[in-house]
Amino acid sequence: MSAGLIHTTVLLNEAVVALEIKPDGIYVDGTFGRGGHSRKILEQLGANGKLIALDKDVTAVAVGEQWRDERFQIVHCGFKQLAEVLQKLGVEKVDGILLDLGVSSPQLDEAERGFSFRFDAPLDMRMDVSGGVTAAQWLATVDEKLLAEVIRDYGEERFAKQIAKKIVAARTTQPIHTTRQLVELVSQAVRTREAGQNPATRTFQAIRIYLNQELEELARVLPECVTHLNSAGRLVVISFHSLEDRMVKHFMRDMAEGDKLPRGVPVRASEVPLGKLNLIGKATYAGDAELQANPRARSAVMRVAERSRVA
């Protein structure tokens, strides 16, 4: 195992500043990773503050369990279970929630996890290796039509049909067990690709997102975040994929606009339903210095919203 691999936290200072930490507040780090954001939050919390961290990766949870801080608690689960965790802990409202989406650097760099096409390794791709179906198991039985749809919709891959056809044909003669096998099959089906990008990038991304239900979990947790935020509590979301960012952007915008009345309804301005969120600033991206130090930050987008004080 390579559990000691270093994770460079993206938008570390920007995210924690955006949370506007109150010394005695209660905060949730919905994606603990290797604890970069959590550590920074704890530095700003007082003795009566509390931080609840969640992560579905057993290796990440093992790191968090080594921390000795009475203000900190880590739970092995995905952020889709946010409401259940808070209820179990007897917490009704929190002052801030941070979601750092996607995979961490250690997950990408641990060859045995099968997330990266840079290594020849077992084709796994599960964020929670304690259960679920591996990418190899899924590729062995998935219908060609569904496979093409997944690669097209989650990877935004224009050669999705050709890739799916190639994979389904190849598995009739030999099981697809490794990342290298998948890379070679995709490379044979993709005719052109952007300079500097591996032909398998979009396919790997699509399968990972689908198997881990990343978009479904995000869609589920966003409304729960609003429900459990205190008045003026902050929601901070860092996305690494256009589909994720689009979902976050539209959700925050809709929550800020509030319930829309039919056109022509005669109401006073004071009677117009207010939104549950207020948008805070514009989308934030990694600066030049961070991009030089950590090229993986190039696709990161951070959006921030605050729970309305009256809605």
Side-chain angles (χ1 to χ4, degrees):
M1 289 292 290
S2 42
L5 290 169
I6 296 173
H7 172 56
T8 303
T9 305
V10 173
L11 295 170
L12 173 59
N13 293 320
E14 293 88 342
V16 178
V17 167
L19 283 171
E20 287 199 335
I21 303 295
K22 301 174 184 177
D24 60 348
I26 303 175
Y27 294 86
V28 174
D29 183 349
T31 42
F32 177 75
R34 291 303 183 269
H37 287 122
S38 284
R39 188 175 292 106
K40 195 76 173 178
I41 292 170
L42 287 170
E43 288 176 3
Q44 299 188 25
L45 282 179
N48 295 321
K50 184 175 181 62
L51 174 61
I52 303 163
L54 314 176
D55 208 296
K56 61 171 66 174
D57 188 327
V58 293
T59 304
V61 172
V63 171
E65 288 176 340
Q66 298 302 309
W67 290 16
R68 296 293 177 260
D69 192 321
E70 293 182 354
R71 303 169 301 168
F72 174 77
Q73 183 170 2
I74 189 165
V75 181
H76 178 213
C77 70
F79 54 63
K80 71 176 182 179
Q81 296 171 268
L82 171 68
E84 300 167 37
V85 170
L86 293 180
Q87 182 180 29
K88 187 175 181 180
L89 296 177
V91 176
E92 183 178 353
K93 300 284 186 178
V94 300
D95 298 291
I97 300 172
L98 171 64
L99 302 176
D100 183 1
L101 309 177
V103 293
S104 66
S105 294
Q107 288 174 325
L108 288 170
D109 292 336
E110 291 172 358
E112 63 268 25
R113 301 299 296 274
F115 284 114
S116 177
F117 44 75
R118 294 185 296 115
F119 313 102
D120 185 22
L123 199 53
D124 193 317
M125 294 196 190
R126 292 172 298 165
M127 288 187 177
D128 185 354
V129 296
S130 66
V133 176
T134 68
Q137 291 170 331
W138 184 68
L139 288 175
T141 60
V142 63
D143 174 75
E144 181 177 331
K145 182 174 182 293
L146 174 59
L147 178 57
E149 290 174 353
V150 167
I151 297 172
R152 180 197 66 203
D153 295 344
Y154 293 98
E156 299 178 299
E157 171 61 74
R158 63 184 183 276
F159 297 113
K161 288 185 178 180
Q162 294 92 321
I163 294 169
K165 184 176 181 180
K166 178 69 70 173
I167 290 173
V168 170
R171 75 187 184 193
T172 61
T173 58
Q174 183 181 15
I176 304 169
H177 286 320
T178 70
T179 55
R180 179 173 294 173
Q181 285 177 286
L182 182 56
V183 168
E184 290 175 351
L185 289 170
V186 174
S187 298
Q188 293 168 20
V190 174
R191 295 191 296 274
T192 62
R193 177 56 70 228
E194 297 87 341
Q197 185 181 84
N198 188 293
T201 299
R202 296 178 185 274
T203 298
F204 269 67
Q205 175 181 270
I207 295 173
R208 187 207 82 214
I209 290 174
Y210 177 80
L211 287 182
N212 292 287
Q213 298 186 307
E214 294 175 40
L215 295 180
E216 291 82 358
E217 291 192 3
L218 180 59
R220 172 176 167 177
V221 77
L222 288 173
E224 293 182 350
C225 289
V226 176
T227 298
H228 291 284
L229 278 175
N230 271 321
S231 174
R234 292 287 182 92
L235 171 61
V236 178
V237 185
I238 302 173
S239 306
F240 292 83
H241 187 277
S242 59
L243 296 178
E244 295 171 338
D245 180 55
R246 197 175 306 144
M247 184 183 297
V248 173
K249 178 182 178 180
H250 290 173
F251 174 81
M252 288 184 172
R253 181 197 62 195
D254 292 344
M255 287 292 101
E257 291 179 352
D259 297 329
K260 297 180 181 179
L261 296 175
R263 289 184 178 181
V265 176
V267 294
R268 298 183 180 89
S270 60
E271 297 173 337
V272 175
L274 297 176
K276 294 182 179 180
L277 291 177
N278 297 317
L279 303 181
I280 304 297
K282 297 181 179 180
T284 300
Y285 303 87
D288 292 339
E290 180 169 4
L291 290 175
Q292 273 197 322
N294 181 21
R296 285 176 178 166
R298 67 185 179 276
S299 58
V301 184
M302 185 180 80
R303 297 188 185 273
V304 185
E306 181 179 272
R307 187 67 164 90
S308 171
R309 299 172 191 267
V310 292

